[in-house]
Amino acid sequence: MLGISNKFDADVLVIGAGPVGLAAAIELCGQGVNVRIIDSNKENRKLTKASGIHVRTLELLPEPVLEKLKSAAVHVLHAQINEIKRTGELNPVLDINLDGLSDSVVQGMLSLQQWRTEEVLIEYLEEKMTNPDVRRRVKVERGTKLIALNSHLDFVEAELESDKGKQSINVQYVIGCDGSHSFTRKLCRIPYPGTAHEPNFIALHTSFEGIPE
């Protein structure tokens, strides 16, 4: 049973303050769980990265978060994949109609830079979520990384490192949300049986005259 006690520094330690870690922290806080969330990056990296937010994800988010995302994102109802011929002409490869595929409150998907999605989630987490038991706000602890884990019978000891030095804390659970190269997964010796592809992508970050940002 989760519940803060003198034995634990937090109920759950979330590793990684990307969309997955932030959404997990929000859900846990909403259930009265005492959460600490850390991220090794000292600031939110403003890269496009994962820009598609699908319907099932949107259904799980709190209403205020959903409304902010909808107002900031591009609503995608149709997608087309093309290849460029040697002549320079576009050849349609795949045409996808996303409208009417589900009975969700949101059709299609939302397209928004990952860092902007993170900003919406962070704002909700830090300003709106309060643990009713310990009465404290939850803030993302930037520039703090996990360096070691030791599992015991009824708790986990996590060693953290930041500019302030090293710190050892005891928690009931650790959630690794630190990406495809997860250090948490490696510490837990969880195998990664999949294969990694090395595709090339070009992301253009620019503004066009006459088009609002």
Side-chain angles (χ1 to χ4, degrees):
M1 179 178 178
L2 293 177
I4 192 65
S5 71
N6 294 331
K7 183 177 180 178
F8 304 112
D9 298 280
D11 291 323
V12 178
L13 173 65
V14 178
I15 313 296
V20 176
L22 291 167
I26 287 172
E27 179 63 25
L28 288 167
C29 288
Q31 300 297 324
V33 177
N34 186 346
V35 177
R36 285 185 66 172
I37 178 169
I38 67 170
D39 195 282
S40 58
N41 293 313
K42 292 189 175 182
E43 59 183 22
N44 192 3
R45 301 179 66 188
K46 294 191 174 182
L47 299 173
T48 296
K49 300 180 75 175
S51 59
I53 312 173
H54 295 275
V55 169
R56 182 57 184 144
T57 300
L58 296 170
E59 290 176 339
L60 297 174
L61 296 174
E63 187 66 24
V65 173
L66 175 60
E67 291 306 314
K68 278 198 172 184
L69 291 177
K70 287 167 64 176
S71 65
V74 174
H75 194 181
V76 180
L77 293 174
H78 181 262
Q80 188 177 75
I81 299 176
N82 297 280
E83 66 175 358
I84 303 178
K85 296 182 178 180
R86 294 184 181 275
T87 59
E89 296 178 295
L90 291 179
N91 178 42
V93 175
L94 184 63
D95 194 89
I96 308 171
N97 181 13
L98 300 174
D99 192 13
L101 294 181
S102 75
D103 57 0
S104 175
V105 293
V106 180
Q107 294 296 312
M109 62 179 288
L110 299 184
S111 179
L112 187 66
Q113 300 99 316
Q114 180 173 316
W115 66 269
R116 295 183 68 188
T117 300
E118 291 171 358
E119 283 190 342
V120 173
L121 292 168
I122 289 171
E123 178 183 354
Y124 185 80
L125 176 67
E126 295 188 349
E127 295 185 5
K128 305 296 183 183
M129 300 302 296
T130 303
N131 186 296
D133 296 320
V134 296
R135 299 184 182 279
R136 72 173 180 87
R137 299 288 182 181
V138 178
K139 293 183 67 68
V140 176
E141 300 175 37
R142 292 281 180 189
T144 303
K145 64 180 180 180
L146 174 71
I147 58 175
L149 282 176
N150 293 297
S151 180
H152 300 273
L153 183 63
D154 60 348
F155 72 97
V156 180
E157 180 185 3
E159 190 171 349
L160 312 179
E161 186 176 41
S162 67
D163 291 341
K164 298 178 181 179
K166 294 182 179 180
Q167 177 189 17
S168 181
I169 66 172
N170 294 335
V171 297
Q172 290 183 270
Y173 296 94
V174 172
I175 301 180
C177 304
D178 45 346
S180 58
H181 302 287
S182 172
F183 184 59
T184 309
R185 185 182 69 240
K186 293 173 183 176
L187 285 177
C188 295
R189 298 179 182 178
I190 299 173
Y192 179 67
T195 57
H197 298 277
E198 298 295 335
N200 295 316
F201 292 94
I202 296 176
L204 177 64
H205 297 257
T206 187
S207 299
F208 294 92
E209 185 176 349
I211 299 178
E213 294 187 2

